[in-house]
Amino acid sequence: MSVITEMENKAEKEAVSIHCTRFYQVPDKPMFTGLIKISELLKLDQQDQLKVAEFSARTANSPEEGYQRAVESTRARRFGRWLATGNNISPASILLSIRDEDVKMDNATYDEREANVTDDFGLRDANSVDLKIQPDCKIWIVDGQHRIRGIKELAEADQKKIGNVNIAFTLLWGLNVTAEAEQFVIINKTQKAVRTDLAERFVAKEYKRRGEVSVMADPNTQIFKKAPWLAKAMDVLDTLIDPDRNTVWTDKVLLPNETRAKTMTVTQSAFTNSLETILRPKLGPLANEDSYKICDIVDIIDDYWNAIKENCPTPFEPRSETHTPNDYALQQTVGVSSLHLLLTMLLNDFKGVLARDRERRTRQFTELLAVDGIQNVDHWDRTIPDMDGTDAKGGKWTMMGTNQKTFKIVSDKIYNEIRQTQTYKDLIEETKGS
């Protein structure tokens, strides 16, 4: 029998008291904020007081209609495991609500306490109170249901481990369900998740600062899952876009918090993610750090793109009144992702035979890539009319979408063209003798 079930069977329902702070943002609408021990939160749950206004087609357009999505169990368990380590904190408040009907019935009340309140700290309108919640009072979870579910599932296994941990909360008071739902929508529509590109910068920086063993043992494994290859990819990108190198990627990549210039064709995140198959530990052809330093990887990718430019120069021409680089997908997500998949396949085929000399290696790449899939600029053009006579515009590769399946199809088709070339066959013969 679990700890929670045993408590449910033995315990009488009782009121829960919480010392917290009352404050006002607008007159006559009090709110409360403070800390609640997980043991007290679980008591409310065991007494069937915690509620989620979950949407259901069954109750749509009725007074019982909810407004929240169903809990994702995987996400909830992830938070529980994260909290269980004992080293993590959760500073974000859960948002709860005691609705007007329970306030009117005195199912929840509060008594003021004497508090040290000073204008200096912006607490002029704050009051210290004892909040008393009766067993019949419903407490609606407006924001934080995944955290609460994760806590509950963790407590099923070991409540003693987390019972004394405090969780920050904010409590809405006396709102009806419509006003409560409005707050939910405002929170979820106006808050913005951490941008992927900023998060990736943090992950790469932490990986280099802490080292692989520390990062991969971190309880937040989901955050650092990509770290071993992402840190390299970030270094490769930063070197490629260095103005002093003057590569085909100079001024083409949109970095975090930059304003998109008209010369930019791809985001940092799209570019670094496209390098995963090349740099992934044990599997990527350039992943071996004993054989390939960052400078070596940069040189190979730079030579590869110079060969692409040699075979299809138009998309790389400087922006002018008559030419817009963004009209071509070659240096956009579909081109970068597909062509780096292609590079992965070529590097796997030609281990040991691609020249170390950069000039010769660029020539090898140029000859390998002299196929229609690369050279035909119409394939990459986003502006040409559809040959089927529809209103759609775009060439062969630009009409296929921007997902992983598309990238694989494009890279496979170009790869199959390359395999028919004499250059490819000659290099394959060299690998047999190497």
Side-chain angles (χ1 to χ4, degrees):
M1 182 181 294
S2 72
V3 174
I4 289 178
T5 306
E6 188 175 0
M7 287 182 63
E8 285 175 343
N9 291 341
K10 291 182 178 180
E12 294 274 341
K13 287 188 175 183
E14 57 185 32
V16 172
S17 294
I18 306 168
H19 175 51
C20 57
T21 299
R22 181 187 63 186
F23 66 99
Y24 294 86
Q25 289 182 338
V26 295
D28 303 322
K29 287 189 177 180
M31 292 186 284
F32 302 84
T33 186
L35 299 174
I36 182 170
K37 287 188 181 297
I38 285 180
S39 58
E40 295 295 321
L41 195 64
L42 292 171
K43 181 186 292 185
L44 292 171
D45 182 67
Q46 292 151 15
Q47 295 180 166
D48 196 30
Q49 292 180 257
L50 293 181
K51 304 292 182 181
V52 177
E54 187 176 304
F55 175 82
S56 168
R58 182 179 57 81
T59 57
N61 301 315
S62 74
E64 292 80 31
E65 180 178 6
Y67 54 86
Q68 296 208 41
R69 63 185 174 185
V71 173
E72 298 173 21
S73 296
T74 301
R75 181 178 165 192
R77 283 194 295 270
R78 189 184 303 144
F79 176 80
R81 289 195 300 269
W82 175 81
L83 191 65
T85 65
N87 296 318
N88 287 316
I89 61 173
S90 179
S93 296
I94 56 175
L95 181 59
L96 306 173
S97 175
I98 294 179
R99 292 180 182 169
D100 51 354
E101 60 261 31
D102 276 306
V103 171
K104 290 173 183 176
M105 294 177 66
D106 288 334
N107 285 334
T109 57
Y110 59 86
D111 296 317
E112 294 188 15
R113 295 166 54 110
E114 185 176 348
N116 294 319
V117 180
T118 65
D119 290 347
D120 295 342
F121 293 98
L123 298 176
R124 181 164 44 86
D125 296 321
N127 299 100
S128 181
V129 302
D130 284 323
L131 186 65
K132 191 169 186 178
I133 303 172
Q134 300 297 333
D136 292 333
C137 182
K138 295 183 179 68
I139 304 168
W140 296 89
I141 304 169
V142 182
D143 189 59
Q145 59 171 323
H146 287 92
R147 281 170 280 169
I148 292 175
R149 172 70 72 83
I151 288 168
K152 182 179 177 182
E153 292 190 6
L154 179 61
E156 289 278 1
D158 187 1
Q159 183 173 346
K160 293 180 181 179
K161 188 171 185 178
I162 62 169
N164 288 323
V165 174
N166 287 310
I167 295 292
F169 74 90
T170 300
L171 176 68
L172 303 174
W173 184 264
L175 300 185
N176 60 32
V177 64
T178 302
E180 178 187 289
E182 182 179 350
Q183 289 302 311
F184 171 81
V185 173
I186 290 171
I187 290 169
N188 286 279
K189 282 292 186 183
T190 58
Q191 69 180 4
K192 193 174 180 69
V194 177
R195 284 178 56 100
T196 300
D197 52 8
L198 287 170
E200 289 177 346
R201 286 276 169 182
F202 168 78
V203 168
K205 181 180 178 181
E206 282 298 285
Y207 183 81
K208 287 188 282 187
R209 184 180 73 84
R210 292 166 53 183
E212 181 173 0
V213 174
S214 171
V215 164
M216 299 316 290
D218 193 290
N220 302 303
T221 49
Q222 193 68 21
I223 297 175
F224 293 105
K225 183 172 63 174
K226 302 195 301 184
W229 62 264
L230 182 61
K232 280 187 183 180
M234 205 67 70
D235 283 343
V236 169
L237 172 62
D238 287 343
T239 308
L240 276 172
I241 64 176
D242 185 342
D244 291 337
R245 280 192 72 105
N246 194 29
T247 71
V248 300
W249 290 106
T250 302
D251 298 326
K252 291 295 181 72
V253 180
L254 178 63
L255 300 179
N257 293 331
E258 282 192 342
T259 301
R260 183 184 285 274
K262 292 180 179 179
T263 59
M264 294 174 178
T265 59
V266 69
T267 64
Q268 168 196 286
S269 184
F271 193 97
T272 52
N273 284 327
S274 74
L275 296 174
E276 178 180 359
T277 55
I278 298 172
L279 301 176
R280 190 189 301 149
K282 298 181 181 179
L283 298 174
L286 301 182
N288 189 324
E289 294 183 0
D290 294 330
S291 301
Y292 300 102
K293 306 301 182 188
I294 294 297
C295 58
D296 300 318
I297 299 168
V298 170
D299 286 345
I300 290 170
I301 293 174
D302 191 14
D303 295 342
Y304 178 68
W305 279 96
N306 285 334
I308 294 171
K309 179 181 178 181
E310 184 71 23
N311 277 289
C312 190
T314 301
F316 297 89
E317 292 175 6
R319 179 180 172 82
S320 67
E321 291 183 3
T322 58
H323 176 74
T324 304
N326 271 303
D327 286 344
Y328 302 90
L330 192 58
Q331 284 189 280
Q332 295 178 343
T333 301
V334 64
V336 171
S337 301
S338 302
L339 294 176
H340 283 162
L341 276 175
L342 175 64
L343 178 59
T344 302
M345 292 187 278
L346 295 176
L347 290 173
N348 282 328
D349 284 350
F350 301 133
K351 284 181 180 177
V353 299
L354 276 178
R356 284 283 182 175
D357 176 74
R358 292 196 62 189
E359 186 176 340
R360 182 163 173 251
R361 183 170 60 214
T362 302
R363 190 162 59 249
Q364 288 175 324
F365 278 140
T366 302
E367 292 173 0
L368 279 169
L369 299 174
V371 294
D372 180 73
I374 298 288
Q375 292 180 323
N376 191 334
V377 70
D378 286 351
H379 293 338
W380 305 102
D381 193 336
R382 291 188 174 281
T383 66
I384 61 174
D386 180 24
M387 298 299 291
D388 294 332
T390 67
D391 292 334
K393 291 184 177 181
K396 183 176 180 180
W397 304 139
T398 68
M399 296 286 284
M400 298 177 65
T402 54
N403 53 53
Q404 293 298 323
K405 183 178 179 181
T406 294
F407 307 151
K408 187 69 169 66
I409 291 172
V410 173
S411 60
D412 282 348
K413 285 182 178 294
I414 298 174
Y415 177 64
N416 287 332
E417 284 188 70
I418 291 172
R419 290 181 65 191
Q420 306 306 313
T421 66
Q422 191 59 47
T423 302
Y424 179 91
K425 293 174 183 177
D426 290 344
L427 284 172
I428 287 295
E429 286 300 315
E430 285 188 45
T431 63
K432 295 177 182 178
S434 63

